[in-house]
Amino acid sequence: MSVLAALPELVGPGQLLASYTFRTMLLGTAAVGGAAGLLGSFLYLHKQSLVSDIIGHAATLGVAGSFILATAVLGVDGRSMLVLTIGSIIASTCAVLLANWIARHSRVGMDAAMTICLALFYGSGMVLLRVIVHSSLPNRGGISHYMFGNASTLTSADLVTIGGFGTAALLVVLLAWKEFKVFTFDPVLCRTMGFSPTVLGPLLLGTATVAVVIGIKAVGLILMIAFAIMPAAAARQWTHRLWSMVTLSGVIGALSGAVGSGLAVNLGKVPTGPVVVLVLTVVLVVSLLAAPERSVLQRRRALRAQRRRLLAQAKGEES
């Protein structure tokens, strides 16, 4: 007897793809995970993992501000994912650039600058969300749900938005691959070859911002840091080349998004984002423990072997 026969309440892959709601949820989270994992590799290698946290929190101001502007001023649907994504991209990019500007032009360190911008943009966004909730603006109900996301509410139009922005981010990476690669590992050589870090830095951060904020509706603003960094951290344990790390990180993000969506559906009334984060956590733990060359266990074995060699060498010199 198969597992599905023994547990008929489970929703199998065929049923997931046959249902419009489940299909859009699965495809949306997979696309978000793939794009965020791919671009998150560059943030991870630049040791700017917390930038994704700034992006997620600063997007709160973008969501609230774009909703108010679209609804009260422009008279369009303020809950359109296209509107909210554009607003989030603008707010998050401004927050990241402001943090870098503060770190370059003052005695404030980068970590403190990021903390300042995170608090400033997130606090402002929360104030505006409070204003929206207590206002008379149309379609304001449920706007606060974007904090943690609700993948089951994704529509075909949302998939088009996610796919469009994700494809644009991927094209930027492909077109500027050589420049991003040199900028990531050797900024001095980057200048020598005629590539301007002052251009490549904002371009890379802007592209990463796009890849992160497209998940606002699917997984929420707060959890996108996990989608951007955890696949990259897991992929780094298995690879030694940039192209393989970026590819593997995107695959891990996409598969974790799909698996997490399926698990969330079968678990019942469970938010998709946290389930995907748990799947990513399992992948990361396995990578940290089981990677053949960079795992924690392998490093401990190498240290013990080196200690034995040093002790044997010391004893040989004494004798």
Side-chain angles (χ1 to χ4, degrees):
M1 182 179 295
S2 66
V3 176
L4 290 178
L7 301 171
E9 69 276 6
L10 289 180
V11 180
Q15 293 173 285
L16 285 173
L17 295 177
S19 169
Y20 170 81
T21 300
F22 295 157
R23 184 172 64 251
T24 53
M25 179 174 65
L26 188 147
L27 294 176
T29 51
V32 168
L38 191 149
L39 268 300
S41 298
F42 291 97
L43 296 178
Y44 180 84
L45 292 173
H46 277 274
K47 301 185 185 302
Q48 291 186 321
S49 299
L50 284 179
V51 168
S52 59
D53 201 17
I54 294 180
I55 293 171
H57 285 78
T60 307
L61 177 59
V63 167
S66 60
F67 177 84
I68 293 175
L69 179 63
T71 305
V73 179
L74 302 179
V76 298
D77 183 11
R79 294 183 61 177
S80 166
M81 187 171 178
L82 179 61
V83 171
L84 298 180
T85 301
I86 293 175
S88 299
I89 290 173
I90 295 173
S92 299
T93 302
C94 290
V96 173
L97 293 179
L98 179 60
N100 282 272
W101 184 88
I102 292 174
R104 285 197 307 268
H105 295 86
S106 70
R107 294 181 178 273
V108 177
M110 187 60 188
D111 55 343
M114 289 191 294
T115 302
I116 292 170
C117 293
L118 185 152
L120 173 63
F121 281 75
Y122 180 66
S124 301
M126 292 302 295
V127 170
L128 289 184
L129 284 177
R130 185 72 175 177
V131 171
I132 292 172
V133 170
H134 293 278
S135 70
S136 58
L137 293 174
N139 299 322
R140 67 185 183 280
I143 190 68
S144 59
H145 292 168
Y146 284 90
M147 296 297 297
F148 299 101
N150 189 357
S152 62
T153 62
L154 289 174
T155 64
S156 297
D158 296 334
L159 290 183
V160 172
T161 302
I162 293 173
F165 281 104
T167 301
L170 178 59
L171 287 176
V172 171
V173 172
L174 292 176
L175 293 175
W177 176 260
K178 180 175 66 174
E179 291 82 356
F180 283 166
K181 182 178 181 179
V182 177
F183 175 64
T184 299
F185 294 105
D186 196 338
V188 176
L189 178 62
C190 181
R191 293 188 181 91
T192 304
M193 295 177 65
F195 304 142
S196 175
T198 58
V199 174
L200 291 176
L203 179 61
L204 180 58
L205 290 175
T207 307
T209 300
V210 172
V212 171
V213 301
I214 59 176
I216 57 174
K217 189 172 182 180
V219 298
L221 304 171
I222 305 301
L223 296 177
M224 280 309 300
I225 181 175
F227 278 66
I229 300 304
M230 292 178 74
R236 184 66 183 94
Q237 304 303 310
W238 302 92
T239 62
H240 296 281
R241 296 181 179 274
L242 179 62
W243 69 268
S244 58
M245 176 183 173
V246 171
T247 303
L248 181 58
S249 180
V251 170
I252 290 174
L255 290 179
S256 298
V259 172
S261 296
L263 289 175
V265 171
N266 283 287
L267 289 174
K269 296 181 179 180
V270 180
T272 305
V275 177
V276 177
V277 171
L278 291 178
V279 174
L280 287 170
T281 302
V282 172
V283 175
L284 178 59
V285 171
V286 171
S287 300
L288 291 173
L289 296 178
E293 297 181 15
R294 300 175 61 88
S295 69
V296 175
L297 298 179
Q298 179 62 29
R299 289 188 176 187
R300 292 187 64 179
R301 286 195 292 267
L303 288 174
R304 285 197 295 267
Q306 183 180 22
R307 188 180 297 110
R308 287 194 295 268
R309 288 195 301 269
L310 291 175
L311 290 173
Q313 183 179 357
K315 291 179 179 179
E317 290 178 355
E318 291 176 357
S319 61

